[in-house]
């Protein structure tokens, strides 16, 4: 059984138009009916009856016209919503309630549009960024199946497969973290922690990659803070990974004490961010970005920044970005482009 279509102009007792019409009709007709009965003395009179019927009809028509005029802004807004073309500003003269409703619809449609764009970006990341290492692993598997390879060559191919697998797992973990951190709070288990060993452990893990790129990796400073070391290492690791990707020659992982808090800085001599931090630090950005002449697909450039930002906020701190024209103590030497500095500020926990 299908539902019948009701015209927006039809009078229905369940609609606001029908209810407004009934109220206006009653306010206009009932006083006239009472007056007619009083004047007639209770006796039936054809002229009075015709007058009463005429007043009732006119009252109903007036009620319908007034109700239509009152509901015209809502009817117009309904049409805009159905056509998916809601104007952000109400026409002059719309009641404040309709203006508030329009603003609510506009906000809802904007959020839906953002979610749709992020879903598309998420799929673009899956299709493009996951496909690349999978294709590489497929080629390496074919090489492994080639009996012409020597033992040393098989070992080299195996190491390349492990490298591609690690890259694939890292990307999947980033996507999972970004999806989770976007929808729920970061869970922390704080305890007083030395931050220098955290940076040294991370640097040791990145040494081989830094050597492949010809980038010198340094660690400097000392500090203690009340943090979740495992979660914080994930944030610093994402920032260091980005720094190694873009650095020309050097990356410095620096930490210093700020009262009861700490400041962790990742400094590199690369070209810097292509846009402001808030624009790039999005979990799944629908627009690709170009950094150092290389285009990164939707989601890839912002995943690490978003995760680091959310972890900093969970600790009560923030993530900051700046370009320095000259080096500070313990930082890499300045390049022709200056220095890129991403800083995790960890406030004192009272």
């Amino acid at each position: 059984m299908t539902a019948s279509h009701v015209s927006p102009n039809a009078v229905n007792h369940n609609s606001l138009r029908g209810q407004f019409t009934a109220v206006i009709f009653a306010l206009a007709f009932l006083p006239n009916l009472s007056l007619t009965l009083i004047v007639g003395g209770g006796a039936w009179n054809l002229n009075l009856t015709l007058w009463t019927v005429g007043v009732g009809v006119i009252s109903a028509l007036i009620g319908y016209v007034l109700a239509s005029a009152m509901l015209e802004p809502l009817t117009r807004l309904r049409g805009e919503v159905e056509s998916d073309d809601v104007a952000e500003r109400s026409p002059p003269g719309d009641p404040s309630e309709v203006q508030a409703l329009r603003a609510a619809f506009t906000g809802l449609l904007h959020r839906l549009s953002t979610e749709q764009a992020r879903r598309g970006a998420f799929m673009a990341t899956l299709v493009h960024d996951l496909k690349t290492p999978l294709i590489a692993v497929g080629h390496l598997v074919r090489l492994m199946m080639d009996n012409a390879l020597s033992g040393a060559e098989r070992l080299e191919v195996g190491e390349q497969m492990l490298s591609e697998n690690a890259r694939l797992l890292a990307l999947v973990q980033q996507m999972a973290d970004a999806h989770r951190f976007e929808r729920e709070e970061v869970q922390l288990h704080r305890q007083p922690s030395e931050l220098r060993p955290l940076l040294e452990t991370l640097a040791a893990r990145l040494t081989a990659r830094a050597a492949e790129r010809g980038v010198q990796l340094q660690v400097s400073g000392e500090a203690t803070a009340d943090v979740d070391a495992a979660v914080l290492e994930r944030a610093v690791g994402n920032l260091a990974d980005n720094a190694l990707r873009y650095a020309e020659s050097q990356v410095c992982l620096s930490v210093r004490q700020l009262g009861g808090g700490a400041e962790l800085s990742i400094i590199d001599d690369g070209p810097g961010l292509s846009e402001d931090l808030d624009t790039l630090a999005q979990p799944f950005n629908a627009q690709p970005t170009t950094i150092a002449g290389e285009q990164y697909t939707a989601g890839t450039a912002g995943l690490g920044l978003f995760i680091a930002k959310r972890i900093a906020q969970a600790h009560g701190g923030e993530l900051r970005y700046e370009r320095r024209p000259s080096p500070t103590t313990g930082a890499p030497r300045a390049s022709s482009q200056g220095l890129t500095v991403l800083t995790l500020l960890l406030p004192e926990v009272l």
Side-chain angles (χ1 to χ4, degrees), residues 16-40:
L16 284 177
R17 190 188 306 275
Q19 294 174 15
F20 283 173
T21 299
V23 169
I24 296 173
F25 167 79
L27 292 175
F29 177 67
L30 292 180
N32 282 280
L33 177 61
S34 301
L35 182 61
T36 300
L37 293 176
I38 292 173
V39 171

Side-chain angles (χ1 to χ4, degrees), residues 300-314:
T300 305
L303 288 178
L305 291 174
F306 172 75
I307 293 169
K309 181 179 178 180
R310 290 288 287 116
I311 290 174
Q313 291 171 342

Side-chain angles (χ1 to χ4, degrees), residues 21 34 157 163 175 187 265 339:
T21 299
S34 301
V157 170
S163 176
M175 294 178 69
Q187 301 299 318
S265 296
L339 298 176

Side-chain angles (χ1 to χ4, degrees), residues 4 14 39 43 56 103 111 137-138 156 173 182-183 209 299 307 330:
S4 60
N14 260 342
V39 171
R111 290 193 296 274
V137 169
E156 181 181 354
Q173 184 62 54
E182 184 184 15
R183 285 162 174 77
R209 185 180 166 200
I307 293 169

Side-chain angles (χ1 to χ4, degrees), residues 219-246:
V219 177
S220 66
E222 300 276 353
T224 303
D226 193 15
V227 299
D228 186 322
V231 174
L232 184 62
E233 183 179 352
R234 188 181 308 172
V236 180
N238 285 331
L239 298 178
D241 182 75
N242 283 342
L244 281 175
R245 180 184 297 177
Y246 307 127

Side-chain angles (χ1 to χ4, degrees), residues 146-209:
D146 187 353
N147 293 328
L149 292 179
S150 65
E153 289 172 335
R154 286 179 179 274
L155 180 60
E156 181 181 354
V157 170
E159 291 176 350
Q160 291 179 10
M161 290 179 63
L162 289 176
S163 176
E164 290 295 336
N165 185 65
R167 175 185 171 190
L168 183 62
L169 289 175
L171 179 58
V172 170
Q173 184 62 54
Q174 274 199 330
M175 294 178 69
D177 287 342
H179 186 271
R180 178 162 53 90
F181 291 167
E182 184 184 15
R183 285 162 174 77
E184 60 186 60
E185 293 298 321
V186 182
Q187 301 299 318
L188 300 178
H189 302 284
R190 296 173 181 264
Q191 59 182 3
S193 304
E194 292 285 342
L195 300 182
R196 174 67 180 253
L198 182 152
L199 296 184
E200 290 177 341
T201 300
L202 180 61
R205 194 162 67 239
L206 296 173
T207 297
R209 185 180 166 200

